[in-house]
């Protein structure tokens, strides 16, 4: 079935998103803040794709199966059944109030992943007096391991084979999942929006890698934190951090599967979000050997500042200790000279801290009221 889809953003994930969804025959409109880049892509006429199937081109145009770059945000989302936002969570506070007045009843907004961005966007819609019948979904990871090469090519070294996803508000889950699976058949029902947020793998993988590799990252011109930067000591920290995430999920009443991160690194056993041997495919690609600025890279300002602050605040609210998350959050704050918890996506900053369990459950089920 052909679906009208808007894709918002211009990063690596957005390039992979528009290419895959257009290849599957959907009507894809692509909005980026950089209007000149959109016009340049239209002049180029195609997006190049390289993956396990080889190299090919996806045409630029305005029909089904083509990528349609548009400069106007309202035009991009008008009439779209699904709006995919494969952007870092750091963009949400700016984008949500711009997007909120443009959304209409029945649309599904997909944040892969979201760091509980579903709450940010839902609150923006409520503030704008918008429809309460808009679903916000967030997944445990981006559906792609991707890097842009050159001016108009994206290399996709992995596709998600299992994509745990939560929906906010939960009462809209049935219709939302129907729309989502037309675009992403690998989506699995993870329950409500907070459950989806607590599936996010980024705040588990990336904060140990960027803080514990700080020396090599500052010393070398380029460093692959997923390859030589992933040593047994760092994996031990990652496992301990993931155990805190799973304990949090259980404290909130969410059952298995929890998609433990150990499966990402395993070559056998339970299939993780990107299938088996995902870590090997990632390191073999060489695309993650890069210069990382400790003060600005999204592993620090998104996954550490926003992702870990969410985990720590959720733990404090639920009475679940998160010492590893708190320690890494403190390290990130010390490295950057910022207070990541004060700036973070916490229960306090989201307006959830004063809710009791019944109040939180009602909010996750019913949504934000205007």
């Amino acid at each position: 079935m052909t679906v009208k889809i808007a894709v918002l953003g211009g990063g690596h994930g957005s390039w992979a998103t528009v290419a895959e969804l257009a290849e599957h025959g959907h009507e894809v409109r692509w909005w980026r803040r950089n209007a000149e880049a959109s016009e340049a892509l239209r002049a180029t006429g195609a997006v190049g794709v390289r993956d396990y199937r080889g190299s090919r081109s996806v045409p630029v145009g305005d029909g089904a199966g083509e990528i349609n770059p548009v400069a106007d945000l309202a035009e991009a989302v008008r009439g779209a059944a699904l709006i995919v936002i494969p952007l870092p969570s750091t963009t949400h506070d700016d984008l949500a109030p711009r997007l909120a007045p443009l959304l209409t009843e029945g649309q599904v907004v997909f944040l892969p992943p979201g760091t509980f961005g579903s709450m940010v966007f839902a609150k923006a819609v409520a503030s704008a007096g918008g429809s309460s019948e808009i679903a916000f979904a967030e997944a445990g990871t981006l559906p792609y391991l991707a890097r842009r090469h050159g001016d108009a090519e994206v290399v996709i070294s992995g596709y998600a084979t299992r994509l745990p996803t939560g929906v906010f508000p939960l009462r809209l889950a049935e219709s939302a999942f129907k729309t989502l699976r037309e675009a992403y058949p690998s989506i699995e029902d993870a329950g409500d929006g907070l459950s989806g947020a607590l599936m996010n793998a980024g705040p588990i993988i990336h904060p140990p890698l960027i803080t514990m590799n700080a020396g090599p990252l500052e010393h070398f011109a380029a460093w692959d934190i997923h390859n030589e930067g992933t040593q047994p000591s760092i994996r031990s920290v990652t496992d301990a951090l993931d155990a805190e995430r799973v304990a949090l999920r259980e404290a909130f009443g969410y059952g298995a599967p929890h998609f433990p991160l150990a499966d990402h690194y395993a070559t056998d056993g339970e299939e993780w979000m990107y299938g088996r041997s995902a870590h090997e495919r990632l390191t073999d690609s060489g695309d993650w050997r890069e210069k990382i600025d400790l003060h600005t890279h999204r592993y620090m300002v998104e996954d550490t500042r926003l992702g870990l602050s969410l985990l720590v605040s959720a733990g404090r609210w639920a009475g679940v200790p998160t010492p590893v998350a708190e320690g890494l959050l403190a390290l990130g704050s010390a490295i950057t000279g910022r207070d990541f918890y004060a700036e973070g996506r916490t229960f306090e900053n989201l307006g959830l801290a004063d809710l009791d369990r019944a109040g939180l459950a009602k909010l996750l089920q019913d949504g934000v009221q205007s």
Side-chain angles (χ1 to χ4, degrees), residues 25-70:
H26 299 298
E27 295 183 28
V28 179
R29 278 170 283 176
W30 186 14
W31 174 84
R32 293 183 283 174
R33 289 181 178 85
N34 188 339
E36 291 182 1
S38 295
E39 286 303 312
L41 179 63
R42 187 173 289 281
T44 300
V47 168
V49 180
R50 274 193 285 148
D51 61 10
Y52 68 95
R53 292 173 289 175
S55 298
R56 58 202 179 277
S57 294
V58 181
V60 170
D62 57 6
E66 299 176 322
I67 300 167
N68 182 12
V70 296

Side-chain angles (χ1 to χ4, degrees), residues 215-274:
L217 286 171
E218 289 188 322
H219 178 73
F220 293 109
W223 183 255
D224 190 337
I225 61 176
H226 294 285
N227 195 351
E228 59 265 66
T230 302
Q231 297 299 326
S233 59
I234 295 176
R235 284 284 296 108
S236 295
V237 172
T238 303
D239 286 343
L241 179 59
D242 201 36
E244 294 179 357
R245 178 189 68 87
V246 172
L248 268 175
R249 285 185 51 79
E250 291 174 340
F252 279 98
Y254 303 127
H258 299 298
F259 288 81
L261 192 60
D263 291 337
H264 167 69
Y265 294 97
T267 56
D268 55 11
E270 190 69 18
E271 183 175 324
W272 197 66
M273 298 184 201
Y274 292 118

Side-chain angles (χ1 to χ4, degrees), residues 144-166:
Y144 320 94
L145 296 172
R147 279 291 184 270
R148 180 182 169 189
H149 285 216
D151 293 332
E153 182 183 51
V154 61
V155 175
I156 305 174
S157 55
Y159 292 86
T161 58
R162 302 180 67 190
L163 204 55
T165 299

Side-chain angles (χ1 to χ4, degrees), residues 8 27 37 42-43 61 109 120 129 185 223-224 229 247 277 282 310 313:
L8 311 184
E27 295 183 28
R42 187 173 289 281
V109 178
V120 174
W223 183 255
D224 190 337
S277 303
L282 185 151
L310 176 64
S313 70

Side-chain angles (χ1 to χ4, degrees), residues 92-111:
H92 292 174
D93 287 340
D94 174 67
L95 181 59
R98 295 181 62 186
L99 181 63
L102 308 176
L103 298 176
T104 57
E105 180 178 335
Q107 290 183 311
V108 178
V109 178
F110 186 36
L111 308 169

Side-chain angles (χ1 to χ4, degrees), residues 23 42 59 76 117 128 130 187 208 216 224 274 280 352:
E23 277 202 298
R42 187 173 289 281
I187 277 181
D224 190 337
Y274 292 118
E280 290 185 358
L352 308 177

